[in-house]
Amino acid sequence: MRNTGLKEALGKVIIFFDADTAISENFIENMVKPIIENKTDTTLCKTYAVLEAFYDILPEKY
């Protein structure tokens, strides 16, 4: 599906997300701004797994 998206895309910047991805309010701006300002060709970021997504009952350490 992502290959189809790349073929059909018309914009200058392409961002892929998984269906269960949650992002911060300014995530898109932070990722796209360096590209638009011609400072880089790509941006990367870290991801974090939210424990609630994997456990019905959270472990004690949480």
Side-chain angles (χ1 to χ4, degrees):
M1 285 218 156
R2 290 186 179 195
N3 288 337
T4 301
L6 283 172
K7 288 178 190 174
E8 300 294 324
L10 301 174
K12 183 176 180 180
V13 176
I14 298 170
I15 298 176
F16 288 114
F17 291 106
D18 291 332
D20 61 349
T21 301
I23 61 172
S24 65
E25 187 175 302
N26 58 349
F27 177 83
I28 304 264
E29 178 182 357
N30 290 339
M31 293 288 103
V32 173
K33 192 173 182 179
I35 297 169
I36 299 297
E37 293 176 350
N38 294 315
K39 294 180 180 177
T40 187
D41 292 330
T42 188
T43 56
L44 303 171
C45 66
K46 263 187 176 176
T47 60
Y48 296 94
V50 178
L51 290 177
E52 287 90 341
F54 299 106
Y55 298 100
D56 289 333
I57 300 172
L58 293 176
E60 286 296 318
K61 288 184 179 179
Y62 187 74

